[in-house]
Amino acid sequence: MVIANVNGKRLRAEEAGSGTIGLCPWTGREVKAKVGEIRQYWAYIGGAPQLPEGYENESEWHYNWKFPVLDNYCEVICGENNEHRADLIGNKDTVIEIQKSPIDIRIARDRTFFYRKFSNKRVIWLVDAHDFWNSRLKVDFDKRDGRNYPITWTNPRRWVVELASLTISNLFLDFNTKSDKLLQMWIHDKTLKGSFITKEDFFKRYLHENSKDEFRENPAKILEIWKNYKA
């Protein structure tokens, strides 16, 4: 996780200092700050507890997407009974879920409906697509219709396709961290469609209002975060 409670304050690991003990805002379990040159995060002491199905370990990819956002809008506990922990709360209370590893279709669907009810906004899913981009998923650039392209996907990840089909969510694929673009994907007439959006425009559309000053004043700065990242 990125955020922990330390003496009543929500702090990132690098702010608290390596070795600092804090509390997980979700479970109340003790965590320790791990601050390395590349990764900075909080680790559960004695091993992670049993979290709800579908929640994954924090990676550098997760951290980089959370880095520009103010702490109060990262890893936000949601629901009357603290049912879920939203990765990010963006512009106008939009929930953004950042997913790197496979997740059960039912879990992804249930989480989407939960956050839709919570925020009354479309839920944004940002999915790491590095492992299937180009090898199985193909954008047909020759059949462009305006800004939209047909997409073929051999042996698709069904949970990703499910998210693309929902009318209460928007799905974006991060296919290359060095690229300045994401691919938005949806289903129309039973066909996968896609359109490219710059990461800067994605940031302005969904995260700008709740970002740190340096990124709010210069949204293009988000691209600098990925310069040294290796997928």
Side-chain angles (χ1 to χ4, degrees):
M1 73 190 72
V2 172
I3 304 292
N5 290 330
V6 180
N7 297 326
K9 295 182 179 180
R10 284 169 53 87
L11 295 178
R12 296 180 182 242
E14 60 269 34
E15 294 173 315
S18 189
T20 299
I21 304 299
L23 295 176
C24 169
W26 196 11
T27 66
R29 294 272 300 267
E30 284 193 332
V31 291
K32 179 183 285 189
K34 304 284 187 177
V35 182
E37 184 175 348
I38 296 177
R39 292 187 62 200
Q40 300 84 34
Y41 62 100
W42 293 92
Y44 287 103
I45 295 175
Q50 184 65 42
L51 296 176
E53 186 176 351
Y55 285 90
E56 56 188 347
N57 293 328
E58 190 79 7
S59 69
E60 184 186 353
W61 181 78
H62 291 89
Y63 180 85
N64 283 359
W65 275 108
K66 294 176 182 179
F67 180 77
V69 179
L70 291 167
D71 293 353
N72 285 344
Y73 302 101
C74 288
E75 299 177 352
V76 177
I77 312 303
C78 302
E80 293 181 0
N81 299 306
N82 296 340
E83 293 95 331
H84 289 287
R85 182 182 66 193
D87 285 319
L88 296 170
I89 302 294
N91 300 349
K92 298 177 175 59
D93 295 327
T94 299
V95 174
I96 296 99
E97 285 289 87
I98 306 168
Q99 192 70 27
K100 184 176 180 64
S101 57
I103 183 174
D104 185 282
I105 293 174
R106 295 164 296 182
I107 300 298
R109 184 189 304 121
D110 290 349
R111 201 184 295 179
T112 302
F113 278 91
F114 175 90
Y115 285 131
R116 167 66 175 188
K117 185 177 180 180
F118 172 80
S119 67
N120 198 33
K121 300 289 191 305
R122 282 198 178 201
V123 180
I124 308 305
W125 283 85
L126 180 58
V127 173
D128 186 343
H130 290 82
D131 67 341
F132 54 78
W133 184 258
N134 286 332
S135 62
R136 305 202 313 267
L137 188 151
K138 303 291 184 182
V139 177
D140 195 338
F141 292 101
D142 294 330
K143 296 182 179 179
R144 176 177 176 175
D145 179 13
R147 295 190 304 166
N148 304 333
Y149 303 90
I151 294 173
T152 56
W153 193 354
T154 305
N155 298 321
R157 289 191 172 180
R158 301 309 309 174
W159 66 274
V160 180
V161 175
E162 167 76 14
L163 292 174
S165 71
L166 294 177
T167 58
I168 60 170
S169 66
N170 287 340
L171 170 68
F172 296 86
L173 303 183
D174 186 3
F175 57 89
N176 180 354
T177 53
K178 305 300 182 184
S179 172
D180 67 343
K181 295 180 178 62
L182 303 169
L183 177 70
Q184 183 174 5
M185 192 168 70
W186 64 92
I187 293 179
H188 179 69
D189 290 338
K190 299 181 179 180
T191 301
L192 279 172
K193 301 283 187 178
S195 178
F196 291 95
I197 178 175
T198 67
K199 290 176 179 174
E200 182 177 346
D201 284 343
F202 176 89
F203 180 81
K204 290 176 180 177
R205 184 184 299 179
Y206 296 115
L207 294 170
H208 185 260
E209 293 176 8
N210 295 341
S211 65
K212 299 173 183 175
D213 288 344
E214 60 186 297
F215 295 97
R216 192 182 305 117
E217 294 167 4
N218 181 18
K221 191 176 178 66
I222 62 167
L223 296 177
E224 297 179 11
I225 298 172
W226 301 97
K227 285 183 177 180
N228 298 318
Y229 177 82
K230 294 181 181 179

